Every structure is written in structure tokens, then in C-alpha cells.
Amino acid sequence: MQDRQAVLGGEDAAYSLSLGFTIRRTLLDLRRAVFLTGTSMSAASRDRSEKGVLPAWKQALSCVEDRAKVAKYVIAACVVLVLFNLAKGGIVSTLRTGRRDAGVVKFAAIVHRHGARSGLWKFGFENDVVDWDVRLGALTPKGMEQAFSLGQKLRKIYWPDLTQGAPPMTSTPISIFSTHIDRTVDTAHGVLLGLFSDNGVEPNLEVGNCECRPEKGLKSSMKCAAACMGIQTVPNGIPKVQSSQRPLLLQFEECEGWLDQVARLKNSSQFLNAPQTLFKRELDMIEDVVGGNEVCLISDVDGTTLREEIDPPECSKIDLKWMERVWNNAVCVKTEGMEYPSDKRYKGEFVPKLTEVATWIWHQEYSVDRGPLAAGMLLDEIMERMQAHLPQPSTESKTQDFMVLYSAHDSTVAALLSVLGVVNWHFPDFVSRVVLELRAHESGDVNLFYVNLNYDGVPVEIPGCGMDCSWNDFVNTLGPRRRKIETCVKSKTRKSA
């Protein structure tokens, strides 16, 4: 079977780290064994000498014999420790997959952010510099291309199992869901086009024609998305995107709990004082770029609601919220290859420094303890789908999806990481993805089913469960963090759509 992790380009560093850790662990264990053995032998030799049991010449000989015994212990310890560590993680396997055994993929759930978009806000200081061809918040052609590229990566990893060696498929064991926002639906189209297109098909934005897109970037059809990327033919068998999955993919905004806790967080002294206490340099950078301590909003989009002309402009003192929003716009502009007003002043340092601010904010908001309130329902949905692939007591055979994709937002990706208990994650980039795989050994014994997690293609330990988390351990560890979608009580403070 094709080694799926090996085809994830640009992710070899994770495997090198895993190998380095295995070797380092072996050497540390070995050094400890040598130290303990040497100490024990030396103590025995001194003990014999002090009791006068041996004459001087025999003491010297005994010392040589002790050293020979130490050498034997060292060799034996080496063999035992290397074999132990190979069994635990597998040095050779780690080189290829970062795990001990790839196993057989039974099911994959992929939660990804949408592709590159235009900014969500239009600020006064950007007026003479930033000019979008699409409306605010819309997926750009670059974003479609990123989505197609993600689909191609997934094709390389999973296509042999999807087609079961006989393309084209007669039925498609894939479901894909999206939020109701246009950019996530269009991203889902791009991912599917990449997943179902032959490896020789490449998008070409220079020959692409986006005139079919309605109203400067509103939701497009699959055919229009293909035309926009210069792809002439839409492959057969592509499943339909199912949108409006609001409570499932936007639990943190839709249901009571998370928004209330985050509101208290944002009113805390730590949060309010952070621009002065933690991020003074970054605050100074923004004030320099903006031209003062206020930022003025002239248009914005919240969900599907667009305010094109805010007259007079709404001006607010720059705090953490506005620091993050300015950074967010700058990322969108830089992704499209344009210059942001900060470029000449800070020579590429502006976005990286403010990324640290945004990452800190999001780790506060999407903390592990708030995880069940942010994505407990999505976790429950994924675990239910995994459960359906385990051996069932009933002899009745039911066709299950091999893969389920969820096209959503950076906040959805962060929420899922938080409910899984992951910490120290990087900010979800455009088309960042969290993948949960249910794998199995060929025997089919339920005890041999296990779950693997990766974030942007890099294997991640499931806290409290490890890299190869057995199904039973996975359920026991994360089961208490699940939430049923039926329990969602609509939040009174939810954001507008």
C-alpha cells in the first residue's frame, strides 16, 4: 500500500525530528545504564579491596575484569534498548511515516479552512493602497487554486483506497459539508476539483475566466469554479457540497457557552492591558502604520452582511481586537502578492510580529478547557462516523463514507484542535487542515483499531493518548469532551451571519 505520509510535501522535518528523538532516547537510556553499571561494578571492586580479600596484583586484575564486564553490559544494553525503541516507535518506520505502522485507513475526517480571500474590513489608511477585485470576504482566484492544490494532496494520499484500484468510481464514498458562507462553499468546490482531477491537470489562473462569478465573488457553481481556474472539464462523480451546517461547524458562535466565556476573557485586565504589557512594540508598529492610536473603518463584512459605505467612518482606539484585524487584512493582501502600507517601513517584519499577537489571542479564546464548548459537537460527529466503521454485531452490511470533508474557517480549525486537547498549534493558515484517521490492522479486531491525528500534514500526539491512539483509549480520553448537537441552545449573543 502506498505510504501516505511520505507524499505530504514539505513535511520531512517532522520525520527527522521523530528519528532524532528515538535516537536521543536510546542514547540517554544507554548512558544511564552505563553509569549505573559502572557505578555498581566500581563499588563492588572497592568493597573487595577494603575488606582485604584480594592482594594488590589481584585487585588490578579484578579492575580489568570489571571493565570487561562493563563493556559486555554496554553491548547488551545497546542491543536491548535499540530493539525496545524499534518496537515502540520504529526507527525505520519513523523515517517514512513518523509512526510505528501505517496500518490500513478505514476512514478519514478532514476539517480545513477556506482558501485565500479578500479582507473582511476596509480601513481608511488602506485607501490608496489596497484595491480588491472581489467584494470583501470573498474567495479570490488564488484561494481557489489553493483549494485545488489541497484536493490534489488528498488525492495522492487517499485515491487508491477511494477507487479501490478501479477508477473511475461507480459510487463516491465521500461526503463534503460547508458552512453557509460563500468562500467556504467555493473552497469546497476547489478541493473536490483537485481531488477528482487526474494528476496531470493543473489550474491556470492566467487563462481562467471568472466572469461567471456573480456579484464580484459571491458563491459560484462547480463549473464556474473550474472555469475561473482555467480547468476545461469538470470530472465525473463529484459529490454535491452540503452547506448551512451552522451548529456543527460554528458551535462556538451558535450555541450558548463559548461566547459568554470569551466575553469575560476580553474584559479581563490581562486581556485589556496586553497591548501595553505584552505587545507594546507591535502596538507601536500599528500606530506608526495607521498614523495614530485610532483605526477608522469605512466598510466591512460580517458573515454574508456587507456594509459597503460607512459614513462617517467608525473610528476606534487600537486594542487587541483591532491589532488582530489589521494583521488579518495584511495577511490577505500579502497572500495575493500585493504590498501593504507597512511593507516599506518594516521590510517584511510587520506580519510575522503581529502573527505572534494573533496566535496569543486565539490560544486564549480557543483554550483546551473551552474546547467542548467550541467544537464538542463536531468531535461527536466525527467519532460517530468512525464508530460506524468498526466491526458491528449485526450482519447487515451498510455502505459508509470513506472520507468526510468539512470546509470551514480558521476558527473551526482552532476549535477542533482545542477540543482534541492540542496546545501550541500555529495559527490556521489558508487551507490549513486537521485530519483524523481511523486505521486498522488487517485482522479487523476492534482492539487493533487506532486513531491518528495530523495538522497540516505533520503527525500530532493526541494528548493523553499518543501518536497511535487505540480506539478504546481514544473514546475514553475524548468521550467526555463530546457534545450532542441536540443540546445546542441558541446563543443570545451570537454574531450575525
Side-chain angles (χ1 to χ4, degrees), residues 31 71 91 100-101 103 149 174 210 239 274 278 284 332 371 397:
R31 186 173 66 178
I91 290 178
R100 66 174 179 219
D101 183 1
S149 178
I174 297 175
C210 293
L278 299 177
D284 291 342
C332 295
S397 179

Side-chain angles (χ1 to χ4, degrees), residues 431-444:
V431 297
S432 274
R433 69 209 185 263
V434 174
V435 179
L436 282 161
E437 293 178 341
L438 178 69
R439 289 176 175 261
H441 296 286
E442 294 291 348
S443 67

Side-chain angles (χ1 to χ4, degrees), residues 431-465:
V431 297
S432 274
R433 69 209 185 263
V434 174
V435 179
L436 282 161
E437 293 178 341
L438 178 69
R439 289 176 175 261
H441 296 286
E442 294 291 348
S443 67
D445 188 327
V446 69
N447 293 319
L448 296 181
F449 280 81
Y450 61 95
V451 179
N452 282 324
L453 166 68
N454 74 69
Y455 179 36
D456 283 342
V458 178
V460 177
E461 285 196 6
I462 298 173
C465 209

Side-chain angles (χ1 to χ4, degrees), residues 172 176 188-189 192-197 222 234-241:
T172 308
I176 183 163
H189 289 153
L192 289 174
L193 284 167
L195 180 60
F196 280 78
S197 294
M222 183 76 70
V234 175
N236 294 323
I238 295 183
K240 183 179 179 180
V241 178

Side-chain angles (χ1 to χ4, degrees), residues 314-333:
E314 296 177 358
C315 298
S316 305
K317 185 177 179 180
I318 299 173
D319 58 10
L320 279 183
K321 177 179 76 173
W322 293 106
M323 290 175 74
E324 181 194 349
R325 289 182 174 184
V326 170
W327 163 81
N328 197 305
N329 267 20
V331 170
C332 295
V333 171

Side-chain angles (χ1 to χ4, degrees), residues 416-434:
L416 181 58
L417 290 169
S418 73
V419 76
L420 291 171
V422 180
V423 296
N424 297 327
W425 35 268
H426 62 264
F427 195 96
D429 301 318
F430 293 126
V431 297
S432 274
R433 69 209 185 263
V434 174

Side-chain angles (χ1 to χ4, degrees), residues 21 63 87 107 153 191 201 222 251 278 485:
F21 176 77
C63 183
F107 172 77
K153 282 185 179 181
V191 171
V201 176
M222 183 76 70
Q251 176 189 343
L278 299 177
I485 200 166

